[in-house]
Amino acid sequence: MSLWIIPTALAVALNLYLNGYVLMRRPLRPLAPALYAALITALLWTVGDLISQVVTAPAANWAGLIVLYTGVIFIPAAWWVLALRYSDAHELGLRFTRRWWVYVPVGISSALWLVFLTNPWHGQFLTPHPSEASSYHFFWWLHAVEGYSVNVATASVYGFLSYRAGRGVVRRRLLILLFATLATASASAVHVLAPVELPFDPTSIGIAVTSLLVIYGIYGSRLFALGPVALTEVLRQQPVGIMVVGPTGDLLYANEPAIGMLGARVPPVDARPFERLAQVLHPLDASQSELDDRALQKALTAGEQPADGHLFRFGESGSGWLRIRVVPILSGRGALRAWSLSLEDQTALYAAAEAMRAGEASLLRAQKLESLGVMAGGIAHDFNNLLQGVLGNTDLALESAEPGSTQQELLREIEVCALRASELVHQLLLYAGSVQTEKRETEVSELVNGARDLASRSFSEEIKLEIQLDPALPTVIVDPPQLRQAIVSVLLNAAEAMRAESGTIRVSAQVETLGLEQVSELEIEGELLAGRYLRIDVSDQGVGMDEETRERIFEPFYSTKFPGRGLGLAAVAGILRSHAGGVVVRSTPGIGSCVSLYLPASGGIEAGHA
């Protein structure tokens, strides 16, 4: 075996690498067919040359020659078409690239290939000699003239385009292609036109040099605009799930995010993706317990798809949101080849949207209550001034009225009504936070025990009141009468929620340190700062409240019993706001409610706002 087989084997290895690399990193669409043809013909040339050098049996040698001359005959036409498609892909300005006559070399090469295949019957192409160089005949020389002419035309196109391109990366790419074309053509010409018979065919060396130049262009100048990474690697690294499903519903490809959404580490070869999707997806309509895989496939592969794709709930509890977009992959003739499914987990997006909606609703509610507070404060001040006049004149009229007279009784009723109105004005002022306070350092036990003494008189005998207070709790700086009134209101609401049935109202207190994040998470009535708070919890075993009721409990005069009953928790919230605190209400229908009063512990508030 001759040492000249080494260049041929090197050419085969380089062409195998180049063909695999280009196949994995898809070139631009106008380039793809011509580039694949050029690389495959070069590979056939080198593989056929290797076979013809290794084997000596006539049948095997002829098989090697078929592979060899398939590459030899078609490589000039393939590189010619590649030059034209390269000009189209990069818009280099050749106007004849789509004319019919540019494909004449392809037709001639096809005819010569048929002549070669029938050579055993007519012998007009060549006469093979397994142990030495073949004898060439008329059609072989016709092929040689045609091939070298096409190679010269191809080199001329690259030379002309590089001259017109000027300096830059485009010219550098065109020069690489020019030298790559000349390397193979020159080596073949040396073998054919040498005045003496050479001991080996240098064409394989030329193809190896061409392959090296193309590889250099790909890595150094992004020749053919190939991607720096394989397409499958790009798909694998995508944050969204990507699935490719065949026309019969078979899974052709799934990247790692899609596999995770399907709930499997590695999808089986025979996986039915629509069946798997039907198992992990949930319909938006809660009345439907599960999805039918056939109906799901029909919806996802329908001819017209929604612009925003299909939205489903997914996960074990259906708490997640998954959007699926489907794109059909068609052949050049419009036949369906596959479906591409994009699976995008939008759970975080919908959670953020829900939080935004809740924040907007909370802001609107706060603005409404603030407006009510301003209005209530203004009305209360004006009405209080009128009441002072009514009470003052009533006192003067009582002094002049006859004792026991009808006039005196009527004046007494006026005085009682005015005093009740004054109490209502006081509650309005409390809600608006406009009552002047006399704050002092106070023990929590003093506030809770004082409220218990006032409220327990209104409890039924079936209701028990349990108080659990740690004696080591810090003090709070508050107006004691106002805070006692707030706790009394909460206790009375708890008792009324139990509707005179047996049960227990529990009062406890603890210290809680809130950061900015914890403050923002609380559904609190009031604005808290980050810091240390004393939390007083009043829990009952009453009927509880639904979400709609809980959202309205801080509205003035709102009551679940009958309209216009009083200020209730609205006044409690006003008192807590005036003490830089807040109120949180947690409730479950049929189980009970818990009202938490937050008061700043002495020396425990930071300077930042939540």
Side-chain angles (χ1 to χ4, degrees):
M1 185 179 296
S2 174
L3 292 177
W4 297 112
I5 198 174
I6 296 177
T8 305
L10 176 62
V12 171
L14 289 172
N15 273 275
L16 285 172
Y17 171 77
L18 194 54
N19 275 268
Y21 186 92
V22 173
L23 184 64
M24 294 296 292
R25 292 159 174 80
R26 305 284 180 86
L28 298 174
R29 182 174 294 274
L31 276 176
L35 180 58
Y36 290 147
L39 295 179
I40 290 172
T41 52
L43 179 62
L44 291 174
W45 187 331
T46 55
V47 170
D49 190 24
L50 183 64
I51 294 173
S52 63
Q53 292 186 50
V54 172
V55 299
T56 57
N61 185 264
W62 175 247
L65 287 176
I66 290 176
V67 176
L68 168 65
Y69 274 96
T70 299
V72 169
I73 292 172
F74 281 105
I75 195 170
W79 278 81
W80 163 251
V81 176
L82 175 62
L84 302 181
R85 296 291 82 80
Y86 189 87
S87 174
D88 290 343
H90 294 82
E91 299 180 351
L92 298 179
L94 291 183
R95 298 181 179 179
F96 58 84
T97 57
R98 296 291 179 176
R99 301 287 181 87
W100 65 269
W101 53 265
V102 300
Y103 298 103
V104 170
V106 179
I108 295 175
S109 297
S110 300
L112 289 171
W113 185 68
L114 292 175
V115 172
F116 168 75
L117 287 181
T118 58
N119 185 75
W121 289 276
H122 55 72
Q124 296 300 311
F125 196 90
L126 57 76
T127 301
H129 304 293
S131 58
E132 57 186 24
S134 301
S135 300
Y136 306 131
H137 306 306
F138 172 76
F139 285 106
W140 189 95
W141 288 106
L142 179 63
H143 141 69
V145 172
E146 183 266 344
Y148 291 132
S149 300
V150 174
N151 284 333
V152 170
T154 303
S156 300
V157 168
Y158 286 133
F160 171 73
L161 293 176
S162 62
Y163 171 78
R164 195 171 65 174
R167 295 184 178 181
V169 66
V170 175
R171 184 181 187 186
R172 185 161 62 250
R173 293 171 181 169
L174 289 168
L175 288 175
I176 290 172
L177 291 172
L178 172 61
F179 291 130
T181 303
L182 293 175
T184 300
S186 301
S188 176
V190 169
H191 173 64
V192 173
L193 303 177
V196 296
E197 183 177 347
L198 299 177
F200 70 97
D201 184 354
T203 306
S204 293
I205 297 178
I207 294 178
V209 172
T210 296
S211 301
L212 288 172
L213 285 170
V214 172
I215 292 172
Y216 167 76
I218 290 173
Y219 280 101
S221 303
R222 291 203 65 220
L223 187 63
F224 306 125
L226 298 179
V229 294
L231 179 60
T232 53
E233 184 66 18
V234 174
L235 295 177
R236 191 180 72 84
Q237 297 287 350
Q238 289 296 307
V240 299
I242 296 176
M243 297 169 55
V244 181
V245 181
T248 59
D250 297 324
L251 181 63
L252 304 180
Y253 174 82
N255 66 355
E256 292 182 4
I259 294 171
M261 293 174 189
L262 292 176
R265 291 185 177 179
V266 179
V269 176
D270 58 348
R272 308 294 294 179
F274 294 107
E275 293 180 8
R276 189 64 182 170
L277 283 172
Q279 295 172 3
V280 299
L281 297 179
H282 303 273
L284 297 180
D285 187 357
S287 62
Q288 301 179 16
S289 58
E290 59 183 20
L291 290 171
D292 178 69
D293 60 293
R294 293 184 179 179
L296 177 64
Q297 180 175 355
K298 184 177 180 181
L300 292 180
T301 58
E304 294 185 5
Q305 294 290 322
D308 295 333
H310 303 266
L311 185 64
F312 300 93
R313 290 185 177 273
F314 85 109
E316 294 182 359
S317 61
S319 58
W321 294 88
L322 186 71
R323 188 174 297 278
I324 301 179
R325 293 181 172 89
V326 184
V327 177
I329 302 175
L330 306 178
S331 66
R333 297 182 179 180
L336 178 67
R337 301 183 62 183
W339 288 292
S340 173
L341 279 67
S342 172
L343 286 64
E344 185 175 355
D345 186 351
Q346 296 190 337
T347 304
L349 177 63
Y350 273 80
E354 186 64 29
M356 184 178 296
R357 283 193 292 267
E360 291 175 352
S362 177
L363 178 61
L364 289 174
R365 186 171 63 252
Q367 290 175 341
K368 181 176 70 173
L369 293 178
E370 182 181 3
S371 299
L372 288 172
V374 173
M375 181 180 69
I379 293 174
H381 279 293
D382 292 341
F383 193 54
N384 190 54
N385 293 334
L386 296 174
L387 285 177
Q388 296 304 317
V390 171
L391 288 173
N393 286 294
T394 301
D395 286 340
L396 293 176
L398 283 172
E399 291 179 359
S400 60
E402 292 290 336
S405 63
T406 303
Q407 182 183 11
Q408 187 185 47
E409 292 178 3
L410 294 174
L411 289 172
R412 291 293 183 190
E413 290 182 9
I414 293 174
E415 184 179 38
V416 170
C417 291
L419 290 173
R420 289 178 181 173
S422 180
E423 292 177 2
L424 178 59
V425 168
H426 183 69
Q427 289 189 11
L428 285 171
L429 292 173
L430 286 175
Y431 170 70
S434 301
V435 176
Q436 292 185 352
T437 59
E438 296 181 4
K439 299 178 182 178
R440 61 179 175 84
E441 193 169 358
T442 308
E443 296 286 345
V444 178
S445 57
E446 176 186 342
L447 299 173
V448 174
N449 292 331
R452 176 198 58 190
D453 296 340
L454 294 172
S456 59
R457 302 169 187 171
S458 303
F459 289 178
S460 66
E461 295 180 356
E462 289 80 8
I463 297 177
K464 297 180 181 179
L465 180 61
E466 292 184 0
I467 298 177
Q468 299 175 351
L469 299 177
D470 187 345
L473 290 171
T475 59
V476 289
I477 299 177
V478 296
D479 185 320
Q482 289 190 20
L483 259 297
R484 273 195 297 270
Q485 181 179 345
I487 298 173
V488 166
S489 295
V490 175
L491 290 172
L492 292 177
N493 278 347
E496 291 177 356
M498 296 173 68
R499 298 179 179 175
E501 298 178 0
S502 60
T504 303
I505 298 174
R506 292 181 174 86
V507 181
S508 61
Q510 62 180 353
V511 176
E512 183 175 353
T513 300
L514 300 177
L516 295 178
E517 184 176 352
Q518 289 83 2
V519 169
S520 63
E521 292 175 354
L522 285 176
E523 296 182 10
I524 194 162
E525 185 62 29
E527 184 177 358
L528 298 186
L529 307 178
R532 197 165 67 109
Y533 285 85
L534 183 73
R535 193 184 79 195
I536 303 173
D537 294 328
V538 179
S539 58
D540 62 60
Q541 298 174 335
V543 296
M545 295 176 285
D546 57 24
E547 186 66 22
E548 182 180 357
T549 302
R550 194 173 65 84
E551 289 182 354
R552 298 191 60 190
I553 55 176
F554 293 106
E555 295 180 11
F557 301 105
Y558 175 78
S559 174
T560 57
K561 303 171 185 65
F562 54 84
R565 190 172 186 278
L567 288 169
L569 287 176
V572 172
I575 293 172
L576 269 292
R577 281 197 299 268
S578 67
H579 288 78
V583 185
V584 174
V585 178
R586 304 175 181 88
S587 185
T588 304
I591 296 178
S593 303
C594 178
V595 179
S596 300
L597 309 180
Y598 284 84
L599 292 168
S602 298
I605 302 300
E606 299 175 3
H609 282 272

